Amino acid sequence: MPGTVRDASGVGRFHGVTLENGVAAPEKEKVVLVKKEGGSHWFRRFCPCCCRTQSSFDIPEKEVEGKEEEKLVPTPEPAQPSTPNTELEELTFTVCSVDLLSSKMGQNRKEHHTDLYYSNDLIIRRGQMFQMEIELSRPFCPNTDRLHLELKTGSLPLVSKGTHVIIPLVDELEDNCWEAKIVEQYNKKIKLYVNSPSNALIGKYSLAIALQGTEGEETKTHESGKDIYMLFNPWSEEDTVYMESEDEKKEYVLNDTGRLYYGTEKQIGARTWNFGQFDQDILEACLYILDKSEVLASGRRNPVIVVRVISAMINSPDDQGVLEGNWSGNYAGGTSPTAWSGSVDILRKYYKEDGMPVKYGQCWVFSGVTTTVLRCLGIPCRSVTNFQSAHDTDVSLTTDVYFDENMEPIHHLNSDSVWNFHVWNDCWMARPDLPPGMGGWQAVDSTPQETSQGTFRCGPASIAAIRNGQVYLKHDTPFIFAEVNSDKIYWQRNADGTFCQIHCEKKAVGHFISTKAVGSDKREDVTHLYKYPEDSEEERIAVETAIRYGSKPDAYSSPTADDVRVEVQLEGEGPRMGSDAKLKILVKNLSSHPRKTTLHSQVAVMYYTGVLKGTVKKDKTPVELMPNEDWVLPYNQYQDQLVDQAALMLTLSGRVSETQQVLASQTSFRLRTPDINIKPEGEAVVGKQMSAKITFTNPLPCTLRKVVLRIEGLGLRDLHPIEIGDVGRHATVTVTEHFIPSLVGTRKLVASLDCKQLTQVHGVSDIDVRDPFWRMYSGSGRYSQCITFSTFIP
């Protein structure tokens, strides 16, 4: 259904918008403007259905001041041949011009955080409203005219693939879908608000406007010749790349310069790198890289896929990507990797020369260019340097050094290596394709080292998975785990040709993992995100857990027994918001011998997307393996850390002393919120007023701020927000809501609470609504019999 500015939603929002309709005029009279006394309500006579209310734009104030009535003389029209059956030729309905309001200083670009991009095209972020204006050949009539927008992206746009988007006009905008609404109209010009979903395909769209003047008339499509660039949106909570901190978004999306670290762990050097993601041609170059990749335009809604593609396309060995690597020391025919100081020249050269790989790059250059591309596309990203970085070539998850019987190195077997430093990237996103808790920072490496699924690429791999040795989770987690936390094992060949371990270095790799700090040029150490402290029990458990999935699962001795089980149980329906979260950790000893372990427990607050916000409690408890152990998380340790959905994750790990068995468990749980109680009062009859008493008790030991209660029910009442204000700690609020049922049958009255400190609070009550004449058919009582009789006797 097309949108209209005649509805009440426009009143008070735009200057001069009223609810009055136009009045029919004689056909010869083209336009009359009348200024009413006490206001500036203007009427135009063109045709009854096309009469539109005035908007504030494009009307000079000085032209109407002090005039009681003004008549606009229409521009003379060229003489047209007439026919015996018509006196006037129908006005052709076409698009005259389209203004995407794409100025860098305009509202669209400012609100979408894209005003820094060099281009004057419309650059927007998905999941967020934008504006545009269309000028037509005649005024738009909502009763007869039809209009919709069409966006196309990719080489073969298809509606079924999401690459051909049809955007309808609606009366009211909703969230998270393609839709448009007319919000202003004056004469032949209309202004639209357009929404996009939070999972829209990113890329360049062409825009067309489809018009139909009257029913049955052929739809005309106007190609605007203007493009719209759609990016990921870290500012939208519904986008999988959403990042909460404004300071971090400013650093990891909007900052166009940074610091790259190199050298050795004892001599860490730093250099400034110009990422330049907003420079001329860079956005076009980034989209050109995607166009050259193996992924079709229809696959560009998922940041996991896009990041994996970029990881492959930044290097050149198998897909003619951006950079050709060179570690030979001979850089003839190109630029030495150390000579580059930024990404702009590299990307611009690749784009201008039709995809010829640029010579030459090494790890920090690959990383710097990757940061530029991902930030340009809207994915939060940073460059990260790992000192003493291992290169595992056989997926053993160990760094292996081989000697012969005489302790001479066996060179053809010593393919693993440890680099002084290696630079890759972290990018931020949720990971709905992985278990909960695996979202957040993801490691991605564009330097061509080893192939992944036949292509030189690496990641994105969850850093949380790397830290815990969960190398069975995609993508390429084993390789990055080995880079930061593999043990260096020395092997000697025996006389019979077998090998045995002669030494193991457990702290050989993964030191001082560094990135630029948020808001300053200081170095920030993020080693703790990638691995537990060296020599800690958690770190050893992670290493040995990972190795069991590698090509040498027996590099460490296997446990002598596997007879202990650990299980987490929730009491009843689970912990409630505002009270201590009590969980039972059940450790079962299935053997006939005593067992001891040290149980490590960690609780982290988690978004519903699986991204961990932060750790709220850590424990390290020696446990005698008796049947039951209780574990309690006090409310005061998590009350200030909770986020929407109030989800927590409990991670347990340990090792049985007697058997060396590893214990590991992860459990996510939600803190249950209280219900809203709804008690209907009075008789539920169509057309008769009744009421409902709505009660809510604050479960928290703190005041809830700016509480709003929302009440609605189909056939009972429309959505009705009630501003409650502040609700004190443990206070009870009661509201009596009056309404008149309009539909017979069992109806549901629903109430929900809107409050920043407390979410997912709601209630429902079934109300049986009767027909107003239900007593007539009750079959008992003198009154009902009398009424029934009278319906049959005239």
Side-chain angles (χ1 to χ4, degrees), residues 542-793:
V543 170
E544 295 186 27
T545 298
I547 286 177
R548 293 195 178 101
Y549 293 92
S551 60
K552 294 186 178 71
D554 299 324
Y556 295 94
S557 58
S558 300
T560 58
D562 190 12
D563 50 23
V564 176
R565 299 288 183 271
V566 60
E567 179 183 347
V568 178
Q569 297 179 343
L570 301 180
E571 291 185 356
E573 296 180 340
R576 286 185 172 274
M577 177 73 75
S579 60
D580 289 346
K582 295 183 179 180
L583 299 92
K584 180 175 289 186
I585 300 175
L586 183 63
V587 183
K588 297 181 179 180
N589 181 1
L590 304 179
S591 74
S592 56
H593 302 284
R595 296 285 187 252
K596 295 181 180 180
T597 186
T598 297
L599 199 62
H600 302 267
S601 61
Q602 175 178 297
V603 181
V605 177
M606 183 173 65
Y607 293 92
Y608 77 97
T609 56
V611 176
L612 296 180
K613 181 186 180 186
T615 300
V616 296
K617 181 178 181 181
K618 294 179 71 174
D619 272 337
K620 181 178 180 181
T621 309
V623 176
E624 297 282 345
L625 294 183
M626 303 303 290
N628 294 293
E629 290 289 337
D630 285 337
W631 175 85
V632 178
L633 174 64
Y635 172 73
N636 60 13
Q637 293 190 23
Y638 69 81
Q639 61 178 342
D640 296 328
Q641 297 291 327
L642 293 175
V643 294
D644 190 23
Q645 308 291 336
L648 298 171
M649 173 170 283
L650 168 64
T651 301
L652 298 173
S653 62
R655 186 197 302 273
V656 179
S657 302
E658 293 82 1
T659 64
Q660 299 303 298
Q661 177 190 349
V662 170
L663 306 175
S665 171
Q666 280 191 323
T667 304
S668 58
F669 58 96
R670 179 178 66 88
L671 300 178
R672 297 184 64 245
T673 52
D675 293 329
I676 297 175
N677 181 265
I678 304 176
K679 183 181 178 181
E681 296 182 337
E683 197 174 43
V685 178
V686 170
K688 181 180 179 181
Q689 180 173 291
M690 64 174 298
S691 61
K693 185 172 291 186
I694 301 163
T695 305
F696 162 74
T697 300
N698 176 10
L700 304 183
C702 63
T703 300
L704 302 180
R705 304 293 182 185
K706 299 181 180 179
V707 175
V708 176
L709 192 65
R710 299 178 183 273
I711 303 168
E712 66 177 319
L714 295 176
L716 298 175
R717 72 155 304 121
D718 294 335
L719 177 63
H720 181 213
I722 302 174
E723 295 186 3
I724 303 297
D726 296 345
V727 178
R729 57 195 304 263
H730 302 305
T732 297
V733 174
T734 300
V735 174
T736 300
E737 178 71 1
H738 300 280
F739 54 94
I740 300 175
S742 60
L743 294 176
V744 174
T746 300
R747 320 307 303 176
K748 292 184 181 294
L749 186 66
V750 179
S752 61
L753 195 76
D754 187 0
C755 172
K756 184 176 182 180
Q757 300 98 322
L758 197 61
T759 61
Q760 296 287 23
V761 177
H762 42 75
V764 63
S765 177
D766 288 341
I767 299 179
D768 293 323
V769 182
R770 298 180 180 182
D771 188 279
F773 304 107
W774 66 274
R775 292 184 184 274
M776 296 168 51
Y777 312 104
S778 64
S780 62
R782 184 176 178 180
Y783 174 77
S784 63
Q785 289 177 0
C786 178
I787 296 298
T788 302
F789 180 79
S790 67
T791 61
F792 291 97
I793 302 299

Side-chain angles (χ1 to χ4, degrees), residues 177-353:
C177 60
W178 285 110
E179 57 188 359
K181 177 184 178 181
I182 297 177
V183 293
E184 293 188 46
Q185 180 170 356
Y186 173 69
N187 201 2
K188 303 174 184 179
K189 185 178 290 188
I190 58 175
K191 175 180 276 191
L192 302 178
Y193 282 178
V194 185
N195 263 354
S196 65
S198 59
N199 65 344
L201 301 173
I202 63 112
K204 182 169 70 172
Y205 290 82
S206 62
L207 170 66
I209 295 95
L211 291 174
Q212 184 183 30
T214 58
E215 187 173 352
E217 181 181 324
E218 181 182 358
T219 300
K220 305 179 185 67
T221 301
H222 171 80
E223 302 291 341
S224 71
K226 299 182 179 182
D227 295 323
I228 296 176
Y229 292 82
M230 182 74 72
L231 308 178
F232 290 106
N233 194 352
W235 283 266
S236 170
E237 293 186 15
E238 302 299 324
D239 199 314
T240 47
V241 301
Y242 170 68
M243 178 172 269
E244 182 180 33
S245 168
E246 288 297 326
D247 288 339
E248 290 185 341
K249 282 181 287 200
K250 185 176 180 180
E251 179 67 50
Y252 299 132
V253 181
L254 300 181
N255 195 351
D256 58 2
T257 60
R259 302 277 278 175
L260 304 183
Y261 298 93
Y262 63 95
T264 67
E265 59 181 299
K266 295 181 179 180
Q267 296 173 306
I268 298 177
R271 60 179 300 174
T272 298
W273 191 267
N274 293 318
F275 298 121
Q277 66 266 32
F278 306 120
D279 270 27
Q280 185 178 4
D281 299 326
I282 299 305
L283 177 56
E284 290 80 359
C286 294
L287 296 178
Y288 176 72
I289 292 170
L290 288 178
D291 290 338
K292 284 200 63 178
S293 73
E294 62 184 25
V295 175
L296 300 175
S298 57
R300 298 180 191 174
R301 70 175 78 250
N302 186 346
V304 175
I305 295 175
V306 171
V307 165
R308 192 152 171 79
V309 167
I310 296 302
S311 170
M313 288 298 300
I314 296 302
N315 62 70
S316 67
D318 41 24
D319 46 24
Q320 289 293 290
V322 176
L323 272 166
E324 180 177 327
N326 188 340
W327 288 264
S328 69
N330 180 7
Y331 307 118
T335 301
S336 168
T338 57
W340 299 111
S341 59
S343 307
V344 172
D345 288 343
I346 296 171
L347 288 169
R348 190 177 288 154
K349 183 178 178 65
Y350 182 74
Y351 175 54
K352 296 292 187 182
E353 296 183 1

